[in-house]
Amino acid sequence: MSTRPSAPPLDELRRRTSSKWSTHPDDVLPLFIAEMDYQLAPVVADAIIARVRASDVGYAGDSGTVGPAFAGFADRRWGWRVSPDDVTLTTDVSVVIVETLRTAIAPGDGVVLMPPVYPPFFELIPEAGGRVVEVPLLETPAHGSSAWRMDLDGVEGALAEGARAILLCHPHNPLGLVHPAADLARLAELAAAYDATVVSDEIHAPLVHPGAGFTPFLAVSDAAREIGIAAHSASKAFNLAGAKCAFMVAASDRTRAIIARQPDEVRYRASLLGRAATEAAFGHGDEWLDATIEVIGESLDLLEKLLAQHLPGVGYTRPQASYLAWLDFREAGLGDNPGIPILERARVALHYGPAFGKPGAGFARLNVACSPEVLTEAIERIATVVP
């Protein structure tokens, strides 16, 4: 049986009840939310079904074998040695972020964000009692694309002014940017110098593309291990957002203590079905994942061809990770939020760029984890809107 993922026909997809397929009418192509159209990995589906058939859908209670499964995965994929005992389960990466920040900072402390970045970050920091301190990524435009990088001088300035934590997105959503190891090491040095904590959201890490050279934050240096907590989940790579299982990884007495101060209920919020799916994904899902990354690469190849043919004035930098394309419509005459006229007139739903922060004005994010037919139709529709 082939492990190569594929997307079912549109009429079948529209029978799904997730927000991707229930938010808009059926005449809209939904390419806005970070959810793949592909069928679940068989090993993951089998693990969930086995728990259901055993009527085993109670409280998860502990981490099960997620720790050893992820430790093996991290070693195989990234050469990162993780102690299984340092893996602590909870509901999702957003909960990892909120509960970690809640115990790592005092109310009102500044937390550094690097927009354009995943929109919920702007809400998670206040939920944890913190204050958003924006240090936008640096953009260097070149030949219809852009190179983005952390503004480390800006981060140092924010820390010097009192910020007590940094919320890192690595790989960075919406850009698919894999931060260079040297930049991560410098970020860790800065955080350590100011006694700040780094929470590294690495949910897209399993979907790093060949040649990108991903380095987990906690693997970059002793300083990173001392002050960093990593947030991981199988939910993006294996399309399991609704299964509700993620985990935090610590590597020092300091960060273990931060996690230990969290309420016990934080650990009980993980889904047992999600735990079973996560164990299967990280323990036995490599073949399916490799095939998925290959299919995503083919979708990105197709996107490049379609943009060149139909939307040559739209800027695009190929992502190094995941299945999200950050499209630059700033020269297309569609205003600061091009996703609005594209939805209204082309009936294609993209994620609005301004939601990612001020640097997102003029941009929109597109999900390529769909069939070639859907992607082709979406770009052809968008081309009818761009002057």
Side-chain angles (χ1 to χ4, degrees):
M1 181 178 177
S2 173
T3 60
R4 185 176 173 86
S6 61
L10 264 177
D11 60 345
E12 182 177 335
L13 286 167
R14 294 195 189 282
R15 292 197 291 271
R16 294 182 180 179
T17 60
S18 69
S19 60
K20 178 173 185 177
W21 295 100
S22 62
T23 298
H24 298 286
D26 283 355
D27 65 329
V28 172
L29 295 178
L31 302 181
F32 65 109
I33 202 165
E35 175 185 320
M36 296 189 286
D37 289 353
Y38 311 139
Q39 302 280 18
L40 284 180
V43 68
V44 170
D46 289 346
I48 295 172
I49 292 168
R51 292 302 90 219
V52 172
R53 292 198 182 283
S55 297
D56 186 15
V57 290
Y59 295 107
D62 59 38
S63 296
T65 62
V66 170
F70 180 71
F73 181 89
D75 191 20
R76 291 192 306 273
R77 310 293 287 202
W78 310 312
W80 178 26
R81 298 296 180 90
V82 174
S83 170
D85 292 338
D86 283 331
V87 173
T88 304
L89 255 59
T90 189
T91 323
D92 54 35
V93 163
S94 293
V95 173
V96 173
I97 292 168
V98 169
E99 298 301 336
T100 298
L101 288 176
R102 204 192 304 274
T103 50
I105 65 173
D109 279 347
V111 179
V112 173
L113 266 191
M114 305 178 192
V117 73
Y118 181 54
F121 279 7
F122 293 94
E123 299 176 0
L124 298 179
I125 290 171
E127 183 181 345
R131 173 175 49 84
V132 173
V133 178
E134 296 188 30
V135 180
L137 295 175
L138 299 174
E139 179 190 9
T140 305
H143 307 296
S145 64
S146 295
W148 301 79
R149 199 158 192 171
M150 285 191 282
D151 180 1
L152 293 169
D153 290 339
V155 171
E156 183 171 17
L159 293 170
E161 291 177 4
R164 306 299 303 131
I166 299 164
L167 180 47
L168 176 68
C169 198
H170 175 52
H172 194 99
N173 175 8
L175 307 172
L177 169 65
V178 175
H179 297 293
D183 286 4
L184 295 172
R186 178 59 180 154
L187 184 72
E189 291 172 0
L190 291 171
Y194 288 93
D195 195 31
T197 301
V198 175
V199 181
S200 183
D201 174 358
E202 300 180 359
I203 194 171
H204 292 275
L207 290 169
V208 168
H209 296 240
F214 176 78
T215 303
F217 183 71
L218 296 185
V220 79
S221 67
D222 289 340
R225 285 182 282 277
E226 179 63 25
I227 52 82
I229 293 175
H232 278 269
S233 176
S235 63
K236 282 293 175 280
F238 291 88
N239 222 34
L240 296 170
K244 290 301 174 187
C245 183
F247 49 92
M248 51 202 100
V249 183
S252 70
D253 289 342
R254 168 183 166 163
T255 53
R256 293 182 190 106
I258 290 173
I259 293 173
R261 291 199 300 272
Q262 296 173 357
D264 289 340
E265 185 63 25
V266 172
R267 283 168 275 285
Y268 267 85
R269 292 173 184 161
S271 160
L272 189 146
L273 296 179
R275 186 182 73 181
T278 300
E279 291 166 343
F282 287 129
H284 308 288
D286 286 42
E287 185 178 359
W288 184 91
L289 180 60
D290 288 339
T292 298
I293 292 170
E294 182 179 344
V295 170
I296 291 168
E298 293 170 1
S299 286
L300 292 171
D301 290 342
L302 175 60
L303 176 63
E304 290 180 359
K305 294 177 182 177
L306 292 169
L307 290 175
Q309 181 179 358
H310 299 288
L311 295 166
V314 173
Y316 165 71
T317 300
R318 188 181 180 111
Q320 296 172 300
S322 203
Y323 46 82
L324 305 171
W326 188 234
L327 301 182
D328 183 355
F329 289 92
R330 286 176 293 185
E331 302 299 322
L334 298 182
D336 285 346
N337 196 351
I340 292 177
I342 288 171
L343 175 60
E344 292 176 347
R345 293 154 53 193
R347 309 306 284 162
V348 177
L350 306 179
H351 204 313
Y352 296 162
F356 295 83
K358 292 178 182 177
F363 288 84
R365 194 190 73 180
L366 179 147
N367 179 345
V368 304
C370 57
S371 70
E373 293 78 15
V374 167
L375 182 58
T376 299
E377 182 177 346
I379 298 302
E380 290 175 347
R381 288 191 189 187
I382 293 170
T384 65
V385 175
V386 175

